[in-house]
Amino acid sequence: DADVTQTPRNRITKTGKRIMLECSQTKGHDRMYWYRQDPGLGLRLIYYSFDVKDINKGEISDGYSVSRQAQAKFSLSLESAIPNQTALYFCATSESWGREQYFGPGTRLTVT
Amino acid sequence: QKEVEQDPGPLSVPEGAIVSLNCTYSNSAFQYFMWYRQYSRKGPELLMYTYSSGNKEDGRFTAQVDKSSKYISLFIRDSQPSDSATYLCAMSANRDDKIIFGKGTRLHILP
């Protein structure tokens, strides 16, 4: 079984809808991250969490919120989706911030 | 100046060739250097991890770090079509610092 899983894998939604992306990990790591990836822009950090009670904004958090339900679960929400949030979203986890990160398979989100 | 710069490619080379992928960086404090491989429609996966300067070899892959020039390289020997992917460099100053990713280089190995 994969160490990091994401659901859904693909989602098409309309402008203004609320959507939640979910992530679970079995690595036992405290640190979890949400990134978005766009062509030409690379990976950009949206939010990160160092433990269940610690949530931090990344470089592009506007329009997003997160919830850390447990050590193994970290969800990303788009409260009111807009077309420029169309992207590939990745969840990742790591033992410490500066060490190797383990990524999920990604969610391809399209906002029409 | 961006912290990490990486040529986006695409880079197309014939099967069997030696491939050289590179990143430059500006922060002299970086000590941990990583290379990730990302296949189309998949998440990045760690390929190589090095600490400080020097070379590290793993099968057909060699990671090289030149801290004096702020330059890292990934070499792929005897390249195969299955090596076609996007390669991202990443680095950090220490275990408790943020990882900075390059934007990735798309590599195509032509059969």
Side-chain angles (χ1 to χ4, degrees):
Chain A
D1 288 342
D3 294 322
V4 184
T5 56
Q6 292 184 235
T7 56
R9 294 294 313 280
N10 291 282
R11 181 72 182 267
I12 300 173
T13 192
K14 295 185 181 299
T15 298
K17 294 291 188 182
R18 184 179 188 275
I19 183 168
M20 178 181 286
L21 310 182
E22 298 185 328
C23 175
S24 294
Q25 54 102 352
T26 58
K27 299 289 289 183
H29 294 159
D30 287 326
R31 289 157 173 77
M32 298 188 72
Y33 314 84
W34 275 104
Y35 292 91
R36 66 176 280 177
Q37 187 177 44
D38 300 272
L41 296 178
L43 287 166
R44 291 184 291 168
L45 186 62
I46 306 172
Y47 270 96
Y48 58 100
S49 171
F50 284 173
D51 63 42
V52 175
K53 296 182 179 180
D54 180 75
I55 304 287
N56 303 279
K57 293 182 178 180
E59 54 189 292
I60 53 160
S61 58
D62 287 350
Y64 302 95
S65 62
V66 291
S67 173
R68 184 82 184 265
Q69 298 94 329
Q71 185 204 38
K73 296 184 181 296
F74 193 33
S75 300
L76 176 72
S77 293
L78 287 69
E79 296 300 326
S80 179
I82 55 177
N84 77 359
Q85 291 177 314
T86 292
L88 194 52
Y89 289 84
F90 289 105
C91 173
T93 181
S94 70
E95 181 180 331
S96 57
W97 205 6
R99 296 294 299 270
E100 59 270 31
Q101 294 187 7
Y102 299 87
F103 286 81
T107 295
R108 184 168 295 278
L109 176 66
T110 303
V111 183
T112 62
Chain B
Q1 183 181 11
K2 295 180 180 176
E3 276 196 289
V4 178
E5 303 223 39
Q6 187 175 11
D7 189 325
L11 178 64
S12 297
V13 299
E15 183 176 355
I18 296 175
V19 176
S20 173
L21 302 167
N22 310 295
C23 285
T24 59
Y25 62 94
S26 58
N27 187 347
S28 57
F30 286 148
Q31 298 187 85
Y32 295 89
F33 303 94
M34 289 150 273
W35 286 95
Y36 286 80
R37 178 176 61 195
Q38 184 178 15
Y39 291 116
S40 181
R41 299 184 179 275
K42 303 283 187 183
E45 57 177 345
L46 184 70
L47 192 60
M48 297 285 284
Y49 178 94
T50 56
Y51 172 72
S52 195
S53 287
N55 292 358
K56 184 175 182 179
E57 189 173 320
D58 184 1
R60 296 185 295 111
F61 299 88
T62 299
Q64 191 173 82
V65 176
D66 182 349
K67 292 187 73 179
S68 62
S69 301
K70 298 192 184 71
Y71 190 89
I72 68 170
S73 300
L74 178 70
F75 298 98
I76 307 174
R77 292 184 299 281
D78 187 23
S79 56
Q80 305 293 312
S82 59
D83 295 326
S84 297
T86 296
Y87 290 80
L88 298 90
C89 63
M91 49 199 79
S92 68
N94 61 58
R95 291 180 59 156
D96 296 316
D97 261 357
K98 179 181 176 182
I99 284 183
I100 307 297
F101 287 92
K103 293 182 179 179
T105 299
R106 287 176 57 201
L107 174 66
H108 298 293
I109 306 299
L110 307 171

